[in-house]
Amino acid sequence: DAKTTQPTSMDCAEGRAANLPCNHSTISGNEYVYWYRQIHSQGPQYIIHGLKNNETNEMASLIITEDRKSSTLILPHATLRDTAVYYCIVRSSDSGYALNFGKGTSLLVTP
Amino acid sequence: KAGVTQTPRYLIKTRGQQVTLSCSPISGHRSVSWYQQTPGQGLQFLFEYFSETQRNKGNFPGRFSGRQFSNSRSEMNVSTLELGDSALYLCATSGGVVSGELFFGEGSRLTVL
């Protein structure tokens, strides 16, 4: 699976959009981009995933560049409960569930 | 719908002992994966089971082993415990509608003294 690069940490004011970038320049054509987050002392939680097109669900939006070498997770109106470590993961559909979580981005949402 | 259940939640062992951790998946989920989380190494994949067969294995020594039963419940075992095995062990199951979506339990926190 392709390697990802994320900033170590980010801050965001409550109510503002949080934009979390991820670089995956070696991504292959059959690899998806997944985002998970882990709130302190809990197991990771799935957020969203995509292949080529932008995706949106009740939690977030995922914007993938046309060349698929990078993506951005957008939390449209961050709340204090969104403070967590966010992981960007690249995975092919036939690779099972051996996910490489990397170090992720620690997002701090401030009042 | 019950979530992923891991037992025990907390345990303390001494070096040289062994430990068995249990994971009960969400009903209908047939894939069970195990991860180790430490402050230094982050989340690392241990192994994955599907229909009682190990499908993937991470880069861990043979002291770490696992198995899956016919009801999809899984156990992992760590023998000859070392101080460095102190970690949060997370179980994740899949079988939901979204391919690649893992559902994690709250973990078993192991402390080795």
Side-chain angles (χ1 to χ4, degrees):
Chain A
D1 292 335
K3 183 182 165 75
T4 62
T5 304
Q6 300 177 252
T8 302
S9 63
M10 295 182 65
D11 292 344
C12 177
E14 190 177 19
R16 298 284 191 146
N19 296 283
L20 292 92
C22 179
N23 183 288
H24 32 79
S25 58
T26 60
I27 193 169
S28 300
N30 68 340
E31 289 180 318
Y32 289 74
V33 179
Y34 284 80
W35 284 83
Y36 281 77
R37 74 179 182 183
Q38 186 175 24
I39 296 170
H40 184 63
S41 296
Q42 297 182 19
Q45 175 191 24
Y46 165 85
I47 301 172
I48 198 168
H49 80 288
L51 182 64
K52 296 181 190 177
N53 301 320
N54 299 337
E55 302 288 344
T56 296
N57 63 19
E58 65 279 3
M59 289 182 68
S61 294
L62 174 60
I63 308 298
I64 302 175
T65 58
E66 194 169 338
D67 63 8
R68 302 211 319 126
K69 293 185 177 182
S70 65
S71 61
T72 301
L73 178 74
I74 301 172
L75 308 178
H77 305 287
T79 70
L80 299 179
R81 289 184 297 179
D82 291 323
T83 292
V85 178
Y86 288 77
Y87 298 96
C88 169
I89 300 163
V90 172
R91 170 189 175 267
S92 65
S93 58
D94 57 357
S95 69
Y97 294 103
L99 302 184
N100 181 357
F101 277 82
K103 299 294 186 185
T105 295
S106 179
L107 174 69
L108 175 64
V109 181
T110 56
Chain B
K1 196 173 185 183
V4 178
T5 304
Q6 291 189 245
T7 56
R9 290 291 314 280
Y10 302 91
L11 65 166
I12 300 173
K13 294 284 187 179
T14 57
R15 279 180 296 175
Q17 287 187 309
Q18 71 156 10
V19 66
T20 299
L21 309 177
S22 178
C23 173
S24 293
I26 292 171
S27 177
H29 285 194
R30 295 168 62 191
S31 168
V32 177
S33 305
W34 288 90
Y35 288 81
Q36 181 197 64
Q37 186 168 32
T38 59
Q41 298 298 319
L43 269 162
Q44 292 187 287
F45 171 76
L46 280 157
F47 25 66
E48 179 202 356
Y49 288 88
F50 182 84
S51 294
E52 302 179 65
T53 300
Q54 188 179 86
R55 188 155 71 171
N56 282 299
K57 188 176 191 309
N59 189 25
F60 279 81
R63 300 185 297 107
F64 291 81
S65 63
R67 59 178 175 168
Q68 186 179 33
F69 302 96
S70 58
N71 62 358
S72 293
R73 190 177 71 85
S74 177
E75 288 181 348
M76 67 162 284
N77 183 277
V78 188
S79 63
T80 318
L81 284 167
E82 301 176 359
L83 296 179
D85 297 332
S86 294
L88 180 66
Y89 290 88
L90 289 157
C91 166
T93 76
S94 185
V97 175
V98 177
S99 175
E101 179 179 2
L102 288 178
F103 295 82
F104 282 82
E106 299 212 347
S108 293
R109 184 164 295 280
L110 170 66
T111 301
V112 181
L113 303 177

